Amino acid sequence: MRNPFLAGAAVVMTVAVLAACGSSADGNDPEAAGAQRPAASGPSVPGPSATTPTTPAAPAPPTASATGEPAAPGPSAPAEGPKTPSDEITPATGTFTKKQKEYLEDRVPKGMDPAAVLQTGQETCDKLRYLVKADRDTAVGAIATQEIPDAPAAVAGLCPQHQGLVDEAAYAYADGTHTGKAVRPGVYRSASPTANCSWQIEGAGGKELASGTSDTGKSRKITIPKSARTFTSTGCYAWLAEGAQG
């Protein structure tokens, strides 16, 4: 379910992204480190735009490893098809920094302007920068629900100052049903819930351990016990772990 906070901020985001792409006043963009942003002259690439963030049909949280720990977010998958060799990735104008080149490696389809691919990642960083200033929980929730799908790769390569958001999102639950080792005990709070937020916690054999609803749109806290086997959430957007990494 699309976060109402993000939808309501679309107009402001347009101004924020345009301003962020045109300057580096806050020192967080790659240009602040001395890099020149090349102009994007090629076709646009798939990815979230500043004004029309997409909502995944079935949001999926980070998967759990065999030990039950959340998997570390990795780079988002580049587009399919032949890629431009790394030694041939050069902008039409300006230069790429080392970090930018690392981000672009194996991500630029043959025949596409690498600056267009880079711009998509930079726009993702701009979105995160805006969201974290407005509401940190919403920013983490947008990563956990994959409403900003390429955030882990963009953060790692272009805006590492937001790595904390990605790390926190790895311990969050998006709306949906989570079972087995993906269910981790702890205290969680809902991030940007709708007025139709509901949840259910089940133990072995489908026994209901806890459930609840909220029609206020305000954040709620729940406790997932060690005996939980299934956790289902609807309309709550995302649940963030309380404390350090839950």
Side-chain angles (χ1 to χ4, degrees):
M1 180 175 295
R2 175 168 298 183
N3 180 7
F5 180 92
L6 294 180
V11 175
V12 181
M13 273 294 302
T14 302
V15 178
V17 170
L18 290 176
C21 291
S23 67
S24 55
D26 60 4
N28 288 336
D29 289 338
E31 296 95 319
Q36 300 178 7
R37 175 177 296 183
S41 59
S44 61
V45 296
S49 66
T51 57
T52 56
T54 58
T55 303
T63 57
S65 66
T67 61
E69 290 298 317
S76 58
E80 296 297 328
K83 303 298 187 298
T84 302
S86 57
D87 58 352
E88 296 179 14
I89 297 177
T90 56
T93 60
T95 59
F96 289 138
T97 66
K98 181 179 178 180
K99 280 290 186 182
Q100 289 172 336
K101 289 181 179 179
E102 291 175 352
Y103 172 76
L104 291 171
E105 188 172 355
D106 293 326
R107 302 179 68 84
V108 182
K110 280 277 191 178
M112 179 174 285
D113 183 354
V117 180
L118 180 63
Q119 182 176 337
T120 298
Q122 290 172 329
E123 288 175 353
T124 293
C125 289
D126 292 337
K127 291 177 184 180
L128 290 176
R129 181 176 57 190
Y130 166 76
L131 287 176
V132 76
K133 287 180 179 179
D135 183 71
R136 180 184 173 86
D137 280 1
T138 300
V140 175
I143 299 174
T145 61
Q146 298 185 25
E147 194 160 357
I148 302 181
D150 59 342
V155 167
L158 303 175
C159 47
Q161 69 271 21
H162 296 315
Q163 187 61 47
L165 302 178
V166 175
D167 294 342
E168 188 173 343
Y171 289 83
Y173 292 106
D175 271 342
T177 298
H178 311 272
T179 61
K181 292 182 179 179
V183 179
R184 300 177 299 277
V187 178
Y188 294 82
R189 67 185 182 279
S190 55
S192 301
T194 69
N196 296 296
C197 172
S198 63
W199 62 91
Q200 184 177 41
I201 304 171
E202 297 178 346
K207 179 182 179 182
E208 183 177 302
L209 302 179
S211 64
T213 61
S214 176
D215 59 3
T216 65
K218 296 181 179 180
S219 180
R220 295 289 299 272
K221 286 187 180 182
I222 61 172
T223 298
I224 298 179
K226 292 182 179 179
S227 57
R229 296 294 179 269
T230 301
F231 172 53
T232 302
S233 170
T234 303
C236 305
Y237 189 55
W239 295 88
L240 312 185
E242 289 280 288
Q245 298 181 336

